[in-house]
Amino acid sequence: MKTYLFDFDGTLVDSMPVFASVVLRLLDENGMDYESDIIKTITPLGYAGAADYFISMGMQLPKEEILRRLNAYARDAYENKIPAKKNVVSVLRRLKALGANLNVLTASSHIMLDPCLKRLGIYDLFTNVWSCEDFGTTKADPEIYVLAAQRIGERVEDILFLDDNYNADKTAKSAGMKVCGVYDDSSREFAEEIKSVADYYIDDFAQLFSLE
């Protein structure tokens, strides 16, 4: 593949423990009951989508306040602490040197996404760095993958989408993209589900060079 569309949290960076702790903290602080697999549901939605989801669950806070609290809890970690996952930086640099078109599509807000990628020295490797906010929808909507392909200027089927989340992988596949599931500790219990919908599955970014 020459054109790639990467998820961010849990795919490029080891941030899922932070994401999970942030959303669970807010739920617990507000005495909310939730299912054991809520992180699987919330991850493709991002903080804005999570806020809507929490309100639908009965959280008695305005959306703006939910977002303020979520962003405040997470921002320092993204700006200063969260590392890239193993081999991500070297593989991205090699792909770029080989002429690949690299892009990011994530549920995370730009206020956390951009500083993190810049700190890690990889922001400029990407042709496009998109938050779902830029499309006005979420990764649970097949249309976002079609729109991303249009903005990239490639056929949707000529793009390889990489994500550690089952729901996002399933939706991207339904939109016509090639899909590569990515292992992350936070989604290890869903690995077989991801493999069932993905064209490929990797445990380490170095494996991208051996895909057939």
Side-chain angles (χ1 to χ4, degrees), residues 139 145 161 167-179:
K139 287 160 67 180
Y145 305 96
F161 175 72
N167 289 331
D169 285 331
K170 181 180 179 181
T171 307
K173 184 65 177 177
S174 74
M177 280 191 176
K178 287 272 198 305
V179 171

Side-chain angles (χ1 to χ4, degrees), residues 1-203:
M1 301 295 293
K2 287 293 185 181
T3 305
Y4 297 80
L5 184 61
F6 298 96
D7 169 51
F8 173 62
D9 291 290
T11 298
L12 296 178
V13 298
D14 190 17
S15 59
M16 287 310 298
V18 171
F19 181 85
S21 67
V22 164
V23 297
L24 295 180
R25 174 180 172 181
L26 188 63
L27 288 168
D28 291 339
E29 285 178 348
N30 286 272
M32 303 291 295
D33 294 324
Y34 49 87
E35 301 295 329
S36 60
D37 64 349
I38 193 168
I39 298 302
K40 175 184 175 183
T41 302
I42 292 296
T43 298
L45 305 181
Y47 289 145
D52 290 331
Y53 192 83
F54 294 164
I55 291 169
S56 74
M57 292 171 59
M59 184 173 286
Q60 299 297 308
L61 289 174
K63 181 175 181 177
E64 294 76 13
E65 178 60 16
I66 294 174
L67 287 173
R68 188 193 69 76
R69 294 189 189 188
L70 290 174
N71 287 328
Y73 295 162
R75 192 167 182 174
D76 176 65
Y78 281 92
E79 290 182 347
N80 301 298
K81 301 171 185 175
I82 289 172
K85 293 181 73 174
K86 182 180 178 182
N87 290 323
V88 162
V89 173
S90 60
V91 168
L92 290 176
R93 287 177 176 162
R94 183 177 171 193
L95 285 172
K96 186 70 173 181
L98 292 171
N101 185 349
L102 311 179
N103 305 272
V104 174
L105 175 62
T106 175
S108 285
S109 169
H110 280 291
I111 65 172
M112 290 176 284
L113 166 65
D114 296 359
C116 187
L117 292 177
K118 289 175 181 178
R119 173 174 54 81
L120 295 172
I122 56 178
Y123 182 88
D124 291 337
L125 298 177
F126 299 105
T127 305
N128 299 286
V129 175
W130 289 313
S131 166
C132 291
E133 299 165 354
D134 300 318
F135 294 88
T137 187
T138 74
K139 287 160 67 180
D141 178 3
E143 185 65 14
I144 199 170
Y145 305 96
V146 176
L147 292 172
Q150 290 173 352
R151 294 190 190 183
I152 291 169
E154 297 282 356
R155 298 187 307 167
V156 67
E157 60 266 30
D158 291 334
I159 298 172
L160 182 64
F161 175 72
L162 298 94
D163 203 303
D164 63 298
N165 182 266
Y166 168 74
N167 289 331
D169 285 331
K170 181 180 179 181
T171 307
K173 184 65 177 177
S174 74
M177 280 191 176
K178 287 272 198 305
V179 171
C180 179
V182 178
Y183 175 82
D184 190 71
D185 285 345
S186 67
S187 58
R188 61 184 178 276
E189 64 186 290
F190 307 112
E192 294 307 314
E193 291 179 68
I194 295 172
K195 291 176 184 178
S196 73
V197 298
D199 299 282
Y200 312 102
Y201 187 87
I202 60 172
D203 299 293

